[in-house]
Amino acid sequence: MNGIDYDLLRLGAWALAGLSLFGFALTAGFDLGIGTLLPVLGRSDAERGRLIGTIEGHWEGNQTWFVVAGGLLFALWPPVYAVLLSGLTPLLLVALFGLMLRPAGFGFRHQIDDPRWRRLWDGVLCAGGVLPALAFGALLARLFAGLPFRHEGDALQPVFEAAPAHAAAWLPFTVVCAVLVLALFAQHGAARLLFSVRGVLRWRARRMLGWSAIAVLALSVAAVVLLATLPGLHAAGSDWQQPLAATQLSFVNGAWLDRYAAHPLLLTLPALALAGTLVAGLAAWRDRALTAFLGSTVALAGTLASAGVALFPFVLPSSLDPAASLSLWNAAASPLTLMWLYAAAAVLLPVVILYTAWAYAKLGEPGTGPEPGRGEVRTPQEH
């Protein structure tokens, strides 16, 4: 297999990883968002029960994409998987712990017919939405900040050392990214609820979608401004396929935005993210469920694509030694492994997509219709 073919395989692996992350953000994102909004939108036990009913039948299938993303990371870039799990164990544990709270919340909430008992597990479900979102946002920020590792010997064995002095400068960016992902998921969850609830719950979801869109816009601008002042990897030469060449790489403030400066056409990606958020917010005001959901989906896709392009070709930079940074070129699996992965993805990804579509068609929308025993709930303006 010649070098050009292997380059295409490695580029395809990068795109496949991005697709799996988008699948998780698209499906599990609104599950986590609805869990986050549970105490805000649900003012009573019955209302929270209706909100939970909109995701209770689908959340397990949606998290399939999380398993897919983790498996692909291990198979596509084994060194990245090793360094990531070693260097970001606390963040990953927070995300996994939050995800593990969800089955407990769904399972135990209905075991005792007591509002106080259900309120307890409603809080658990809310934590199960907030913690993973914050952890995933902080993890994204750490990819830009890099991890303090270097390689020992020729086997790419990672060795971790104390973080460099400039690591503290990344704290504001990390906080902004964490809250940004939380706001994106809240926006996506509120948009999803417009398909499933009516009356006062729908009115609250529309308001929350508008506020979430405002938060996403503000936090996105703040993230870009902060990133422009922080050190990123800059390639002095033009050969981006040699990221281990130490003489070509250095840390330069604002370097993570260099690709956008060199190729202005790529600015359409962050523009799409902002436009999607604006569309979602305006659609909430006009009460257009499909438009709001599509806008939120475009915002998620644009945000992920913008981050991926800014990092390209790096997958996991090193904050200690630029030459130790892992990229899609030097960390990829063998050509044979990648070929097998493409074959498996060609079979399994359509199965996952078809299963998800079937599950939604089969289970329908359990949250629709008037609240049991209360009739259609009117909005505050209608009272």
Side-chain angles (χ1 to χ4, degrees):
M1 182 173 292
N2 58 49
I4 296 178
D5 292 334
Y6 190 28
D7 288 348
L8 292 176
L9 287 175
R10 290 182 287 191
L11 280 171
W14 182 74
L16 191 60
L19 177 63
S20 66
L21 291 175
F22 173 67
F24 174 73
L26 175 63
T27 55
F30 59 70
D31 285 355
L32 297 174
I34 293 174
T36 298
L37 298 175
L38 197 58
V40 180
L41 301 181
R43 309 290 174 81
S44 67
D45 180 64
E47 290 177 348
R48 289 190 295 273
R50 281 173 53 77
L51 293 173
I52 291 171
T54 64
I55 58 175
E56 198 165 15
H58 307 293
W59 70 272
E60 289 179 292
N62 291 342
Q63 288 194 174
T64 302
W65 288 100
F66 183 71
V67 179
V68 170
L72 281 176
L73 177 63
F74 173 75
L76 296 174
W77 302 307
V80 174
Y81 187 87
V83 175
L84 196 66
L85 264 65
S86 300
L88 293 177
T89 301
L91 276 179
L92 292 171
L93 286 177
V94 169
L96 290 174
F97 176 72
L99 293 175
M100 287 189 295
L101 290 176
R102 290 155 58 78
F106 287 121
F108 287 111
R109 186 183 190 274
H110 305 294
Q111 297 303 312
I112 298 178
D113 188 15
D114 184 342
R116 291 174 297 180
W117 171 266
R118 288 193 291 268
R119 190 181 304 116
L120 168 66
W121 292 105
D122 290 346
V124 170
L125 288 172
C126 177
V130 172
L131 291 178
L134 292 175
F136 290 139
L139 193 151
L140 175 63
R142 289 300 304 273
L143 294 184
F144 285 99
L147 294 182
F149 71 95
R150 63 177 79 250
H151 297 302
E152 190 174 82
D154 297 329
L156 293 182
Q157 179 180 354
V159 176
F160 289 86
E161 299 181 9
H166 64 75
W170 284 92
L171 181 58
F173 180 74
T174 302
V175 173
V176 167
C177 283
V179 182
L180 172 59
V181 172
L182 182 66
L184 277 167
F185 285 176
Q187 172 182 272
H188 202 47
R192 173 67 177 82
L193 283 174
L194 297 186
F195 289 104
S196 307
V197 295
R198 299 176 183 173
V200 70
L201 288 179
R202 184 185 184 90
W203 179 77
R204 291 176 191 159
R206 289 172 57 194
R207 287 192 63 190
M208 185 51 61
L209 177 53
W211 285 114
S212 299
I214 293 173
V216 169
L217 291 173
L219 290 166
S220 298
V221 172
V224 173
V225 170
L226 288 172
L227 195 60
T229 65
L230 292 167
L233 283 178
H234 172 74
S238 60
D239 191 1
W240 279 87
Q241 295 187 18
Q242 299 297 328
L244 290 181
T247 56
Q248 293 188 357
L249 292 174
S250 60
F251 289 105
V252 177
N253 287 344
W256 287 128
L257 302 179
D258 284 352
R259 188 157 295 276
Y260 291 103
H263 305 282
L265 188 61
L266 292 174
L267 290 171
T268 55
L269 295 175
L272 279 175
L274 296 177
T277 300
L278 282 172
V279 167
L282 292 174
W285 178 59
R286 299 291 299 272
D287 198 11
R288 303 291 176 84
L290 180 59
T291 304
F293 187 78
L294 291 177
S296 179
T297 299
V298 170
L300 287 172
T303 301
L304 279 173
S306 299
V309 166
L311 283 166
F312 184 89
F314 297 100
V315 182
L316 190 58
S318 168
S319 58
L320 285 179
D321 180 11
S325 299
L326 297 173
S327 75
L328 64 95
W329 306 118
N330 65 11
S334 68
L336 182 60
T337 299
L338 293 180
M339 289 294 294
W340 277 108
L341 282 173
Y342 288 137
V347 176
L348 295 179
L349 284 181
V351 170
V352 173
I353 294 171
L354 289 174
Y355 166 77
T356 302
W358 173 85
Y360 277 93
K362 183 72 174 178
L363 295 178
E365 296 290 353
T368 56
E371 294 185 29
R374 294 184 59 184
E376 184 66 28
V377 183
R378 293 178 295 172
T379 65
Q381 293 89 340
E382 295 173 326
H383 282 291

